[in-house]
Structures are given as C-alpha cells and as structure tokens.
C-alpha cells in the first residue's frame, strides 16, 4: 500500500484559505468539509490534517504530520516555550499572512518606550517571545497571559500595555491603542522535522516542495515583451528587474527595432516601465506566468 504524506494545516482562520489556495495551485485536488479533521487529496497520496494553528508545530515534531504550514510567530513561540526541544524547523517562507508582533499602549498614556515598561503589566498570547525580548532588554515586567481579545486588556484594567499581532493596525486603533515597538516580523512558513522519511515519502515530498517553490516564484515572476531600438538592448536588459539573458528577435519591416522578451523574477513597478520607455522601449507588455520549473 502506498504511504500517504500528511500535511498539517489550519482548519479555519487567517492562514487557512491561503494555505488551501497554495496547495491547489500545486495541483492537489481536495474538498474541505465543515466537520472533518482529515481531507484526502484525490489525485496524490497526501492527506491534509486540519487543526488549530497552535497545534501544528508539535504535530510536525511528534510525527502526527510530515510537514505543516503555520505562522512563524506561532512556531517561534512554541519553540521558546519548549526550550528549543521542538523538532519543527522552517523549510520555506511562503510570503502570505504577513504580520508583526508589536507592543502597544493606550494612545493617551506615556507608555511609549520600552524603558517605561519596567514594573508594568503587559497582556499577551505570546509569553515566550515577549519574555525573551524583555530579558534581552533587561526589563522586568509582569506578563498577563491571555488566549484572545488581548487588545481589550488595558480598557478593562488588567494590563497597562499589550503585545499582540498587528497587520493593518485597524483593530488596535479601534481600541484606542498605539504601537510603539515591533518585536517580531512574521509570515506563513512551511515546517518540517529533522526525522528521515521513507524513500517513497521523500520523493513525494521533494515533488511537493518543487511545486510550492514554483508557485511562490511564479507569483512575482512576469514575462516582459517589448519593442526596442537595437542599440538600446543592453541598457534595457539591465533595467529589467531580475532578468536572465533575454530573447531578441528582429521585427519584420524594421532594421532598427527588435522585439525583446525576458522572464523577470522581481516585482515590476510602474517606475520600471517609465524608465524603459525613456530608453525608447515601446509596446511594453507585462504578462503573468502561471507555472515555472527550472
Ligand atoms: P486557531 O483557531 O487556529 O487557533 P487563531 O485564532 O489562533 O486560530 P488566526 O487569527 O486565524 O489564529 O491567525 C492565524 C495566523 O495568521 C496568526 O498566527 C498569524 O501568523 C497570522 N496573522 C496575519 N495577520 C494577522 C492579524 N492581523 N492578527 C492575527 N494574526 C494574523
Ligand atoms: Zn491559534
């Protein structure tokens, strides 16, 4: 019987949809049902273990799953509270669910600098990361541990400031809080343990990694096509962000103009196109790339 690879994912929440989307772009076909803990991938020997994000690092470490997708903030916290005994390590950064773990305090008070945190109360769901930060800064403060709704702690009088995740800052603002320090930057990461896998699973995992890598790379990578004066080709190539040697084709009916095509691996901004135009490039097209394999 074929061994099935198991991937731990958040069932519901801020990571869930983007994790499903990434795997679907990798060609995995599956259906998520409301109550299921496991979803079977129909076209590959893979099962998805659908759980709370906080459980993902330990599931990967304890062999309940082979790999997992989780916020770096959760991974770092779990590693710290286990005294670095957790065998779950970052294999790939995935570029979505970006957020920051920040210190914030009520807008109208003076707690706007970490020095002033001494002997105050800080509410957080990340005691491990916060304690490490305070120890490094040699600040002694009381941590008030909360599982959720941390942003309410100052207004209900159980803490003076908070240490919580921020993406746009709108939730904090709505609660009259202002960020004064970032202590960790986070994004979704793919994690794996150091355990060795059977040859069969190893081959499948390599394939999954290669596809994920291809999806991540192709999301920023674009195919650029333009017409340019022959003598400007070198200068134009230099301006294309992250491009290899371009393909140059003569344009029918023109001695001076050529068509240039290149794969650009870095983000292309309007400013880049304006600079290309100044060098004489015309009919500039930037096309998305759906899949890539090198
Ligand atoms: P679960 O029920 O799985 O325990 P949760 O409530 O702990 O979910 P979510 O709020 O769904 O977690 O957030 C999951 C992850 O999404 C966070 O750990 C973090 O990595 C990321 N994230 C991105 N932006 C934010 C944000 N503004 N607030 C909270 N988390 C964010
Ligand atoms: Zn959680």
């Amino acid at each position: 019987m074929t061994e099935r690879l198991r991937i731990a994912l958040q069932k519901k929440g801020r990571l869930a949809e983007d994790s499903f989307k990434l795997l679907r772009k990798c060609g995995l076909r599956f259906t998520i049902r409301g109550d299921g803990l496991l979803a079977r991938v129909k076209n590959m020997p893979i099962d998805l273990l659908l759980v709370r994000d906080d459980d993902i690092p330990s599931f990967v470490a304890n062999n309940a799953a082979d790999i997992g997708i989780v916020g770096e903030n959760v991974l770092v916290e779990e590693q710290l509270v286990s005294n670095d005994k957790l065998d779950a390590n970052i294999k790939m950064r995935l570029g979505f669910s970006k957020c920051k773990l920040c210190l914030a305090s009520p807008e109208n008070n003076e707690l706007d600098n970490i020095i002033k945190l001494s002997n105050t109360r800080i509410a957080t769901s990340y005691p491990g990361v916060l304690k490490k930060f305070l120890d490094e800064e040699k600040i002694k403060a009381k941590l008030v541990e909360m599982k959720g709704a941390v942003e309410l702690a100052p207004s209900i009088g159980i803490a003076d400031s908070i240490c919580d995740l921020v993406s746009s800052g709108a939730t904090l603002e709505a609660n009259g809080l202002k960020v004064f320090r970032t202590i960790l930057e986070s994004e979704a990461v793919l994690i794996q343990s150091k355990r060795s896998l059977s040859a069969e699973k190893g081959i499948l995992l390599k394939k999954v990694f290669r596809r994920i890598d291809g999806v991540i790379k192709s999301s920023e990578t674009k195919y650029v096509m333009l017409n340019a004066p022959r003598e400007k080709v070198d200068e134009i190539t230099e301006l294309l962000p992250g491009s290899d040697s371009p393909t140059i084709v003569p344009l029918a009916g023109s001695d001076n103009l050529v068509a240039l095509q290149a794969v650009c691996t870095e983000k292309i901004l309007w400013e880049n196109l304006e600079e290309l135009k100044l060098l004489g490039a015309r009919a500039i097209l930037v096309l998305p790339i759906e899949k890539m394999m090198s």
Side-chain angles (χ1 to χ4, degrees):
M1 207 183 87
T2 327
E3 267 192 287
R4 297 181 73 82
L5 187 79
R6 196 175 271 184
I7 309 180
L9 302 172
Q10 188 191 31
K11 184 177 174 66
K12 230 192 227 166
R14 288 187 161 102
L15 284 163
E17 285 308 320
D18 285 339
S19 305
F20 302 153
K21 208 177 351 162
L22 172 67
L23 295 181
R24 288 200 168 106
K25 281 191 187 163
C26 290
L28 279 66
R29 289 197 353 244
F30 54 88
T31 314
I32 304 290
R33 295 184 210 290
D35 50 352
L37 180 71
L38 270 187
R40 232 178 131 78
V41 174
K42 293 168 192 140
N43 56 338
M44 289 165 102
I46 300 177
D47 287 329
L48 308 179
L49 183 65
L50 304 166
V51 291
R52 289 199 56 181
D53 65 346
D54 316 65
D55 291 331
I56 294 174
S58 64
F59 281 178
V60 169
N62 300 329
N63 208 10
D66 299 298
I67 55 172
I69 294 179
V70 72
E72 194 176 355
N73 50 306
V74 170
L75 175 71
V76 174
E77 177 67 20
E78 297 296 314
Q79 274 168 342
L80 286 170
V81 296
S82 76
N83 291 320
D84 286 331
K85 290 203 180 72
L86 199 72
D87 180 14
N89 311 288
I90 298 180
K91 169 78 186 173
M92 241 184 245
R93 305 189 152 269
L94 301 175
F96 61 84
S97 289
K98 289 196 174 167
C99 58
K100 296 174 179 175
L101 189 61
C102 296
L103 285 161
S105 63
E107 269 159 6
N108 52 5
N109 80 6
E110 307 273 280
L111 261 183
D112 55 1
N113 189 310
I114 55 164
I115 309 288
K116 299 178 186 167
L117 290 175
S118 283
N119 301 318
T120 64
R121 299 161 303 166
I122 313 171
T124 190
S125 310
Y126 294 87
V129 182
L130 179 56
K131 186 172 177 313
K132 180 166 180 258
F133 172 80
L134 294 173
D135 287 349
E136 281 167 4
E137 298 289 337
K138 299 192 173 50
I139 292 167
K140 280 204 167 51
K142 182 174 183 303
L143 304 199
V144 179
E145 229 179 294
M146 293 174 74
K147 292 279 176 219
V150 173
E151 67 280 3
L152 298 180
S155 62
I156 58 175
I158 58 170
D160 306 297
S161 64
I162 67 162
C163 173
D164 201 11
L165 288 176
V166 182
S167 49
S168 70
T171 314
L172 291 193
E173 217 171 280
N175 284 285
L177 297 165
K178 203 171 159 206
V179 170
F180 61 92
R181 179 75 178 250
T182 296
I183 69 171
L184 180 83
E185 300 211 0
S186 176
E187 67 186 277
V189 289
L190 189 137
I191 59 171
Q192 187 184 16
S193 81
K194 295 201 180 82
R195 242 182 355 262
S196 52
L197 294 175
S198 67
E200 199 179 0
K201 267 194 184 178
I203 291 170
L204 179 57
L205 195 58
K206 258 204 184 133
K207 185 174 187 159
V208 171
F209 286 159
R210 211 181 299 123
R211 289 190 185 186
I212 293 179
D213 194 51
V215 170
I216 296 172
K217 284 205 181 111
S218 65
S219 67
E220 291 244 305
T221 302
K222 299 282 184 276
Y223 197 70
V224 177
M225 299 169 75
L226 54 85
N227 294 342
R230 196 181 289 276
E231 72 277 9
K232 294 285 184 191
V233 163
D234 288 346
E235 277 177 82
I236 285 181
T237 307
E238 250 172 62
L239 272 187
L240 290 170
S243 76
D244 280 345
S245 43
T247 306
I248 314 248
V249 206
L251 266 187
S254 166
D255 287 342
N256 178 37
L257 284 180
V258 292
L260 183 151
Q261 298 169 8
V263 173
C264 293
T265 53
E266 287 162 33
K267 213 181 180 95
I268 299 172
L269 307 171
W270 282 109
E271 285 75 8
N272 300 123
L273 301 193
E274 284 153 8
E275 283 170 344
L276 290 171
K277 203 163 155 51
L278 282 178
L279 280 175
R282 293 292 179 269
I284 310 172
L285 296 181
V286 180
L287 311 172
I289 291 178
E290 196 181 282
K291 292 188 179 65
M292 270 180 78
M293 191 174 287
S294 34

